[in-house]
Amino acid sequence: MNNKKGILKIVVKICLSAVLMFNLTGVNVSADSGENVLQKGEWRYFDRGEYIAVCGYAGNDEHITIPSEIEGKEVREVICEAESKPFFEQAEEDYDLIFVNFLKRVTFPDTVQRIGKYVFYNCTRLEQADLPQGLVVIEDSAFEYTPELSKADIPDSVKVIGDRAFEDSIISEINLPEGLEYIGERAFYRTAVEIVEIPETLKHLGKSAFSYCYALEKVKLTANIQFLPDYLFECCRQLKTVEIPEGVLNIGERTFDECTSLEEIYLPSTVNFFNDILGENTSLRDIYFAADRETVSFAKDRSAGQIYEEYRYRGEPDLDAEVKHAMKSDFERVMEFYNRESDFPNIKDYSSIKIHYGEKAEIPEEKSLEERIRDIFLLLTAVFVITFMIFLALYLVKKRQNEPYLKAETQKQTVSQPSAPSLSQGSVLIKPRSDDGIRCKNCGAESGKKAEYCYNCGKRLSAKK
């Protein structure tokens, strides 16, 4: 037995010595697969027979372009050499945290199909990632903590977005294409996305995928996701309305917690379970159930009875026996329970929320920019037309009111004026003589006292002496 142990120790020593010799001769061994790491120029890579996997960069350019081929073979993967080894050789380390502070833009060739874990993790100055059209997989933390990353258009070919893939970036627009099948936990956690439209092809949606998206205003879900995971839209404080489509069965814990602008929730008739989905929802006014009240029954994992036991354990006064034994309770009863005990600390007051059963109010579709411009133009046109018609009507009314006075004045002037001068007298129009008038020396016509020019010939008048 001792001989066998001794032989085993010798074999282990020989293996360790061989590995050490390989390292001393400059041949790196991948911690993942045992492949030899090769290098050409600034790029480290694995040769995988049919294609190349780039696994490192030794330069420090602000804009890097991943090569489309090396040694005549397509580059299909961009990965780290090992999970504990950064992609960038020039990365810096501060308090055991590796970060890259020179890279601002990265461009991928269309040959790349996979971006591996942690490749661009903590690239603190990265602003733009030009993702390739052939990309299929974005793995965990590929672009995690890139606080300047604002542009990364997800191509239609992508099927997998891993855990924390874009966490802590400032991306505001994302296209989740048809064909996407997987979104991991916290994939877009604490980003600046404004609109989320889940495609019909999605099969998995991870916890907190869109938590703390403070700018998120619009959400469109799909019935193919039968379970909405915990904390899915937690702290999305611009979200006002959520419609959960028919086909969704379960809603996870704190799905809409601290959505402080949330006003309405639309729940389908298919929902048969949800946990405490509300919390700090100070603006919530209405909850709509598509099903009738008689068919709405939810088995809560923290049922009224369990809540009762928690209060009893803390020494709170006994609650109603009906609530104590209500291990299955419809949503309204749970609301009443909370309201009745609202004097207890940390209990939410739902008294202002209206619950609607058997109603499915239609949510108006958000109008496009062109439709908004058209509506504004039509509104301004209508205002102009109405204003013009009002002024025209006022003018006509005023004119009609003044007609009798105008007729009387005209008759009075006709009686008081002398007969028109004959042709022998010229074509001069002479007004009635008046002591206050001024007669034109040129044509003889008399103008008013304050006239400066002759009304007949236009010559300047001199003051009457």
Side-chain angles (χ1 to χ4, degrees):
M1 189 72 175
N2 291 332
N3 290 335
K4 289 183 179 180
K5 289 184 177 180
I7 293 172
L8 182 59
K9 288 181 180 180
I10 292 171
V11 172
V12 172
K13 286 181 180 180
I14 292 173
C15 292
L16 291 175
S17 299
V19 173
L20 180 60
M21 288 180 66
F22 271 105
N23 288 334
L24 290 175
T25 55
V27 179
N28 294 323
V29 180
S30 169
D32 290 337
S33 61
E35 297 172 288
N36 291 339
V37 178
L38 307 174
Q39 185 156 348
K40 183 175 182 180
E42 297 174 329
W43 301 99
R44 298 193 306 275
Y45 65 94
F46 296 128
D47 186 342
R48 293 186 167 168
E50 296 182 357
Y51 65 93
I52 296 296
V54 170
C55 63
Y57 174 69
N60 58 1
D61 294 335
E62 289 187 350
H63 180 190
I64 66 172
T65 300
I66 307 296
S68 60
E69 64 174 40
I70 295 177
E71 301 295 347
K73 296 181 180 180
E74 284 187 352
V75 174
R76 297 182 187 174
E77 297 180 350
V78 179
I79 61 176
C80 288
E81 179 182 332
E83 192 166 314
S84 59
K85 187 168 184 177
F87 182 82
F88 295 91
E89 192 173 292
Q90 307 299 331
E92 299 183 16
E93 189 172 343
D94 187 18
Y95 299 105
D96 296 327
L97 182 65
I98 297 173
F99 65 94
V100 178
N101 64 1
F102 61 84
L103 182 66
K104 290 187 176 181
R105 182 177 178 182
V106 58
T107 300
F108 297 84
D110 288 339
T111 57
V112 172
Q113 301 176 10
R114 172 191 170 205
I115 301 175
K117 297 179 180 180
Y118 301 103
V119 176
F120 299 97
Y121 172 78
N122 218 5
C123 288
T124 56
R125 296 181 64 194
L126 181 63
E127 299 174 356
Q128 181 172 338
D130 304 319
L131 301 180
Q133 291 304 311
L135 186 62
V136 178
V137 178
I138 304 172
E139 291 194 353
D140 300 351
S141 302
F143 294 95
E144 182 184 356
Y145 198 74
T146 49
E148 299 297 325
L149 181 61
S150 60
K151 184 173 178 58
D153 296 331
I154 299 172
D156 295 340
S157 55
V158 169
K159 294 188 178 300
V160 176
I161 300 175
D163 298 350
R164 305 172 185 263
F166 293 96
E167 180 176 332
D168 281 316
S169 67
I170 57 171
I171 294 174
S172 59
E173 295 182 11
I174 57 170
N175 170 43
L176 301 178
E178 288 296 330
L180 182 65
E181 298 178 359
Y182 184 99
I183 297 178
E185 293 185 12
R186 298 176 62 149
F188 295 94
Y189 181 92
R190 206 155 44 205
T191 59
V193 295
E194 298 176 358
I195 298 175
V196 171
E197 295 188 6
I198 303 298
E200 296 288 337
T201 54
L202 196 70
K203 299 176 182 178
H204 174 84
L205 187 58
K207 292 181 180 180
S208 302
F210 300 98
S211 293
Y212 289 85
C213 293
Y214 293 122
L216 183 60
E217 295 181 354
K218 181 180 178 182
V219 170
K220 184 177 180 180
L221 299 170
T222 172
N224 292 338
I225 301 297
Q226 296 183 349
F227 172 69
L228 299 184
D230 298 345
Y231 314 104
L232 181 59
F233 298 108
E234 181 185 17
C235 286
C236 293
R237 295 178 177 171
Q238 296 299 319
L239 193 60
K240 292 185 177 181
T241 301
V242 173
E243 181 178 14
I244 301 174
E246 291 290 329
V248 174
L249 302 177
N250 300 334
I251 303 176
E253 181 179 2
R254 299 177 66 181
T255 306
F256 305 104
D257 192 27
E258 294 190 50
C259 294
T260 52
S261 297
L262 186 62
E263 297 175 354
E264 299 172 331
I265 300 178
Y266 296 80
L267 300 175
S269 60
T270 52
V271 168
N272 55 37
F273 174 89
F274 64 83
N275 202 346
D276 186 9
I277 63 174
L278 306 174
E280 303 300 327
N281 302 99
T282 53
S283 299
L284 188 60
R285 300 194 313 260
D286 297 278
I287 299 177
Y288 293 87
F289 289 93
D292 295 333
R293 178 172 179 173
E294 290 74 17
T295 62
V296 175
S297 180
F298 300 93
K300 294 169 60 63
D301 61 353
R302 287 187 74 250
S303 64
Q306 288 172 309
I307 295 172
Y308 165 81
E309 294 298 336
E310 291 176 13
Y311 281 121
R312 186 173 182 180
Y313 178 78
R314 294 202 302 263
E316 303 291 354
D318 288 344
L319 304 179
D320 296 343
E322 179 185 359
V323 176
K324 178 179 177 180
H325 294 98
M327 300 306 291
K328 285 190 177 182
S329 169
D330 68 12
F331 192 79
E332 189 173 51
R333 181 179 295 175
V334 175
M335 296 288 231
E336 290 174 353
F337 167 76
Y338 280 135
N339 294 335
R340 183 166 56 251
E341 305 303 329
S342 59
D343 55 333
F344 290 146
N346 302 322
I347 294 298
K348 309 176 192 67
D349 182 8
Y350 292 114
S351 58
S352 62
I353 300 175
K354 296 179 181 178
I355 303 174
H356 309 266
Y357 292 98
E359 296 184 30
K360 174 72 168 53
E362 293 296 329
I363 302 176
E365 289 290 334
E366 186 176 351
K367 294 184 178 180
S368 63
L369 179 60
E370 292 78 9
E371 291 175 329
R372 292 179 182 178
I373 293 174
R374 182 198 64 192
D375 291 346
I376 293 173
F377 174 76
L378 292 176
L379 178 62
L380 292 177
T381 303
V383 170
F384 172 78
V385 171
I386 293 172
T387 304
F388 175 77
M389 296 299 294
I390 291 174
F391 276 104
L392 180 61
L394 292 174
Y395 169 76
L396 294 175
V397 169
K398 189 70 176 176
K399 183 178 179 181
R400 189 166 184 176
Q401 290 176 346
N402 291 335
E403 279 183 358
Y405 301 101
L406 291 173
K407 288 181 179 179
E409 188 67 23
T410 302
Q411 293 174 357
K412 182 179 179 181
Q413 290 181 0
T414 302
V415 171
S416 62
Q417 286 182 353
S419 60
S422 64
L423 293 175
S424 60
Q425 294 175 314
S427 60
V428 177
L429 180 63
I430 302 175
K431 285 188 174 182
R433 294 189 177 184
S434 171
D435 294 337
D436 295 332
I438 302 175
R439 185 174 293 279
C440 176
K441 294 180 179 181
N442 182 47
C443 65
E446 186 177 3
S447 301
K449 179 180 178 181
K450 297 182 180 181
E452 295 183 8
Y453 296 90
C454 177
Y455 75 93
N456 187 52
C457 66
K459 186 175 179 64
R460 186 176 182 86
L461 303 175
S462 59
K464 187 174 181 180
K465 296 181 180 179

